[in-house]
Amino acid sequence: MFRYWSIKRYGTCFLPTLEKRYGKLPYYNAHQIRSTVYQKDFNPEFLPLAYMLFLTPSELSSVLSAEFPDLNVEEYKLDIISYLQSKSYQGYLNVLQQAS
């Protein structure tokens, strides 16, 4: 249950928090995303999810490979998507399915 609420919080609260801290931008850098996760009490277990949602596509692979070298990005994304589908989630995180 806590996993669902942690993930859902990324979908409902993370973007407004980024916008409040840094203004409305099409993408945010790794430092902005990371500091928001830790300073605003988002579950750091899902930091890769935040990167996938809000980091520039050109930066995504280099940041994930540096910070999470053992993470298989495609498997992680599919895991999150299937988990959300099992919970019948409807919200912002559906952008993950569009990016697949």
Side-chain angles (χ1 to χ4, degrees), residues 2-18 32-54 68 76 80 84 89 91-96:
F2 291 116
R3 181 178 186 203
Y4 176 72
W5 292 110
S6 292
I7 293 171
K8 186 177 177 184
R9 186 164 181 237
Y10 274 88
T12 56
C13 300
F14 200 75
L15 180 58
T17 304
L18 282 171
Q32 292 169 327
I33 294 167
R34 189 180 323 101
S35 64
T36 300
V37 166
Y38 287 101
Q39 292 173 2
K40 296 299 182 179
D41 292 327
F42 286 86
N43 187 339
E45 176 183 345
F46 300 106
L47 179 58
L49 174 61
Y51 285 149
M52 288 192 297
L53 293 170
F54 303 108
F68 301 96
Y76 182 82
I80 296 290
L84 291 172
Y89 174 81
Y92 179 78
L93 294 175
N94 288 332
V95 300
L96 287 174

Side-chain angles (χ1 to χ4, degrees), residues 48 51-53 55-65 73 77:
Y51 285 149
M52 288 192 297
L53 293 170
L55 195 62
T56 62
S58 60
E59 246 186 309
L60 181 61
S61 62
S62 64
V63 170
L64 286 176
S65 64
V73 177
K77 184 190 284 189

Side-chain angles (χ1 to χ4, degrees), residues 69-87:
D70 297 331
L71 179 71
N72 181 319
V73 177
E74 287 305 314
E75 284 181 20
Y76 182 82
K77 184 190 284 189
L78 291 174
D79 181 45
I80 296 290
I81 290 170
S82 66
Y83 183 75
L84 291 172
Q85 287 175 340
S86 73
K87 298 291 187 181

